[in-house]
Amino acid sequence: MKNTLKKALLPAIALSLMFVIPATAVEPSSTTTENIQALKTPASPQSISFQIPMHDYCSSDNPFDFGFQVSNASSTTANITLYLYQKDGTMLPDAGITSAGLESTIIPGKPFNLKGNATELYHMNYGNHKKCDERIYSGKIEVNNGEASLLAKGWVYRRVGSETKLSELITINQSKAFDLAK
């Protein structure tokens, strides 16, 4: 009988001690916490690239106009840079032109602060203002520090002769806001 009592009481006592003796919590190290956080939220890229449809007839009779705008989708200032690249990969550093109501406030390759909810613009003409062999074919928007939530789009407008006019949109991130971080 004593053995039966011992067999029944010992597990009951051990089980009751589990509820009486508190467990000790172990705090994860800061490195572990950072690793877990990194797994939960993917890091935003530092830049976003896009193509510019410029491969078409170009002359003073068939000029191209290129327009681009970038807007801050956040209420905090973002520090960014717009890069525009020619066919051979050379960066175009030229300030744009303002004409017929089209403004140009961005200088490619030069960092600038984009105020919260504000928009900056770029415009250039190829065939009349710049030579056709200086056309740009790709671009990149890069955040220089911190984080940025942006919207961006552009367009290429061509005139073929005196009557035909063609326009093509440059869509970036399906016209949705995108986040960049450095």
Side-chain angles (χ1 to χ4, degrees), residues 149-164:
S149 184
L150 306 170
L151 293 157
K153 73 176 194 172
W155 51 267
V156 174
Y157 180 79
R158 305 186 246 307
R159 289 184 298 278
V160 182
S162 61
E163 295 189 26
T164 306

Side-chain angles (χ1 to χ4, degrees), residues 45-61:
Q46 185 177 345
S47 64
I48 190 167
S49 298
F50 54 93
Q51 285 192 311
I52 302 168
M54 287 277 197
H55 186 64
D56 207 340
Y57 301 107
C58 183
S59 67
S60 59
D61 292 334

Side-chain angles (χ1 to χ4, degrees), residues 42-175:
S44 297
Q46 185 177 345
S47 64
I48 190 167
S49 298
F50 54 93
Q51 285 192 311
I52 302 168
M54 287 277 197
H55 186 64
D56 207 340
Y57 301 107
C58 183
S59 67
S60 59
D61 292 334
N62 302 307
F64 281 82
D65 275 295
F66 166 71
F68 191 79
Q69 64 188 46
V70 60
S71 302
N72 191 337
S74 171
S75 59
T76 59
T77 299
N79 184 263
I80 61 174
T81 304
L82 171 68
Y83 297 96
L84 300 173
Y85 299 101
Q86 296 172 334
K87 181 176 63 173
D88 65 359
T90 304
M91 189 189 76
L92 177 76
D94 299 341
I97 60 171
T98 298
S99 81
L102 293 173
E103 295 179 62
S104 198
T105 57
I106 299 171
I107 299 173
K110 183 178 177 189
F112 63 95
N113 286 322
L114 182 57
K115 293 179 183 176
N117 303 307
T119 299
E120 295 289 337
L121 310 159
Y122 186 81
H123 170 248
M124 181 57 73
N125 175 274
Y126 295 89
N128 291 321
H129 184 77
K130 291 200 71 61
K131 295 177 184 174
C132 289
D133 61 359
E134 296 177 286
R135 287 176 284 177
I136 50 177
Y137 291 88
S138 67
K140 177 172 69 172
I141 302 168
E142 185 173 273
V143 68
N144 299 312
N145 55 52
E147 297 177 356
S149 184
L150 306 170
L151 293 157
K153 73 176 194 172
W155 51 267
V156 174
Y157 180 79
R158 305 186 246 307
R159 289 184 298 278
V160 182
S162 61
E163 295 189 26
T164 306
K165 297 174 180 146
L166 305 168
S167 182
E168 190 167 350
L169 293 178
I170 300 166
T171 304
I172 300 169
N173 197 43
Q174 300 172 335
S175 297

